[in-house]
Each structure stands twice: as structure tokens, then as C-alpha cells.
Amino acid sequence: MHLTTRQLFISQVVLLAGSALPALAASENVSLAYIARLYSMGSSTSGKKVVMKNKWNTIEVETNSRRAWINGIMVWLHHPCRKSGSGWAIREVDFKKGIDPIMRAYAHVPTRTPRLVMLDPGHGGKDAGAVSPRKVYEKLAVLSIAKRVKAHLEAKQVTVQLTRSSDTFIPLRQRSEIAAKAGADLFVSIHADGADDSSANGVETFVMTAAGCDSSNHYGQGGDKSPGRGNQYDAANAVLGFSIQSNLIKTSKRSDRGLRRARFSVLKHAPCPGALVECGFLTNPEEEALMIDANYRETVARGISNGILGYITFVNRARK
Ligand SMILES: [Zn+2]
């Protein structure tokens, strides 16, 4: 595989020099002051946000909220940022499985170059997925996008398989089994959203929720919070998910709903680092029109493939 850094280093995250992580206090809180020190960032407050910044990167954390932004891209935390002593703190799980993997990807990704990427166009056959008012079917739109992502990746000498390449029904559990049997190194499921509220819009990328924590999807919480197979790759999942979301925002210019967490079956049972991307809302008139447009599908496919290639670049850098 010949991948030039200039072509592939799309993510705006600039890697920090590889210094060992100072030991954390036993407390399960990590203060924002500690994080600012660790990344050599200055810290200030702007409205409800604590803004930490150095020459290359910016981390913004909204106080008493689960929302944070890294270089302008929204990242949902598992727990809200809370007051701690005279400052603010996030939970250790959010630092170790969210912020730090994104900031120092090279320290968190597996060092084996991904040889096979499994793309998973959502739904199919009797399962249409979301259906727009003008009868645009999610199952068909995402198949079209997945085939375009495949073409982009293959042009960069990345081997790609699809869980389905036609309009056929595949049960959810079978999708992760297909990836496992093929020996996939990355798994990316591609979907389009639907909501009762037609004003809902934008793109979002999900990765597996950390064990014991709450998800950040709009279907509510509840259910089994025990670890799944996909939790083995928590940190790498965050690297992949952030790379896809930031590249997709850059190409699509749609509103950023953030890197979120959910225990979707395909993420819970993923045999390798995985993410699930929602490319827009079929129930929103503007995005419905975009999903019909081959140019938008191509733009979305370029964003997703750039995100995957960005992850591969991090792996190749981690090996050096
Ligand atoms: Zn779907």
C-alpha cells in the first residue's frame, strides 16, 4: 500500500510529540486543568465553555453538559463535565476512551495496517430502513454511497468488501459475523436517519458506548450496559469515528450532530474497530433532496473514505 501523508492526513488533529502519559490520580475525575497541562494548552472560559488551546488544537468543553468539541467537531461525552474543586472535570472514561484517543491517535490504534475494510450498507430487502415522504429508501441510498466509498478506497489500494452488494436482507448479527469470517480490520456501517420531527438534520457518527455508561443517541437509554465485543476497541473506535465525522463534516458541510455513542448490534458485536455513520435525514426536505442527488452521495462517500484513510494514516504513523 502506497499512501502519501499529504493525500491522507485529512484530519485536522495534529499529533503531539510522543511523550508518556503522566499517571492519573486514582480519582475517576480528570480535571480540565490536568488535560490543558498534558497537551500544553492555555485555558480560558467563554460563556458556558472551557476553551483549551495550543498552536495546533482546540478542545472546548461545555460545563454541566455532555458536549465537547475537538478542533470544532462535536464529541459527546458519556458523563457531563462537572465542577470539581475550583475548576471543572470530566470522567476518566471520557478522557481515556474519548479525548485522549482523538488527541493522540498514534498511542491508541492497533499497529497492524488494516488490510481489509468491511463496509456495511444498512438494511436491505424486506427492511427498507427510513423512507422519505417522496419514497426515497434508506436501504438503496446507503447501498449507492457504500459502493462509492468502496471505489474511493480501492483507488488507494485498500481492499474492501461489502456485507451486501444488492438489495438483500441480512440480519444484524450476521453482519458482524460476515466481518469476522472475512478477517476484517475495520468495520463501517452506513445509514441515513429518519425522525418524526422533519426539522431534524445533519450528520453523525456512532461508536460503541463504553461498558456501564449511557449512550448518546436519540432513542433513549436503558437496556444492557455490559461490555460487548466491540468494547475491546474503545479507543480505536473513537479514533475511527472522529476521523469519519470530521472528514464528513468537511466534505458535506451539513450540520454536525457529533461523534456519539450507541450500542447498535453491529457496533456491539464488531470483531474489529468499527463505526456507524448517519449521512443525513431522509425525513428533512433539504436532506431528502440531497440524498437523491448523485453529487451529494459522492460527496458523502468522499468524506467517509477520507475518514477511513485518515485512520489508516494514524496506524502507519503509530508504527514509526
Ligand atoms: Zn438505518
Side-chain angles (χ1 to χ4, degrees), residues 196-217:
D196 293 336
D197 177 0
S198 66
S199 70
N201 71 94
V203 302
E204 57 197 1
T205 303
F206 289 92
V207 292
M208 177 67 180
T209 312
C213 294
D214 283 343
S215 295
S216 34
N217 54 4

Side-chain angles (χ1 to χ4, degrees), residues 1-4 7-8 113-117 149-160 309 312 316:
M1 190 185 305
H2 178 72
L3 303 168
T4 67
Q7 281 172 314
L8 301 183
T113 299
R115 287 177 307 194
L116 175 63
V117 176
V149 175
K150 182 172 187 277
H152 280 288
L153 292 176
E154 286 175 346
K156 302 288 185 189
Q157 287 77 50
V158 178
T159 306
V160 179
L309 293 167
I312 294 172
N316 290 339

Side-chain angles (χ1 to χ4, degrees), residues 30-43 50 52 61 81 84 86-90:
V30 178
S31 72
L32 298 189
Y34 167 89
I35 293 172
R37 250 192 339 270
L38 177 68
Y39 301 136
S40 304
M41 289 173 151
S43 182
V50 175
M52 296 172 281
V61 182
C81 168
S84 171
S86 60
W88 295 91
I90 60 171

Side-chain angles (χ1 to χ4, degrees), residues 89-163:
I90 60 171
R91 298 280 279 274
E92 191 177 352
V93 66
D94 283 312
F95 174 70
K96 287 189 169 173
K97 297 176 185 240
I99 304 291
D100 198 50
I102 293 168
M103 291 297 297
R104 303 189 314 136
Y106 63 88
H108 294 275
V109 289
T111 51
R112 195 179 79 149
T113 299
R115 287 177 307 194
L116 175 63
V117 176
M118 184 65 68
L119 299 177
D120 175 45
H123 314 279
K126 66 182 181 186
D127 172 13
V131 180
S132 81
R134 285 196 275 166
K135 300 282 177 278
V136 180
Y137 286 73
E138 179 185 354
K139 64 174 185 175
L140 299 177
V142 297
L143 179 59
S144 162
I145 291 169
K147 286 181 174 175
R148 292 167 190 273
V149 175
K150 182 172 187 277
H152 280 288
L153 292 176
E154 286 175 346
K156 302 288 185 189
Q157 287 77 50
V158 178
T159 306
V160 179
Q161 286 183 23
L162 302 180
T163 53

Side-chain angles (χ1 to χ4, degrees), residues 39-54:
Y39 301 136
S40 304
M41 289 173 151
S43 182
S44 61
T45 311
S46 168
K48 279 188 71 190
K49 287 181 185 172
V50 175
V51 181
M52 296 172 281
K53 201 171 176 159
N54 63 21

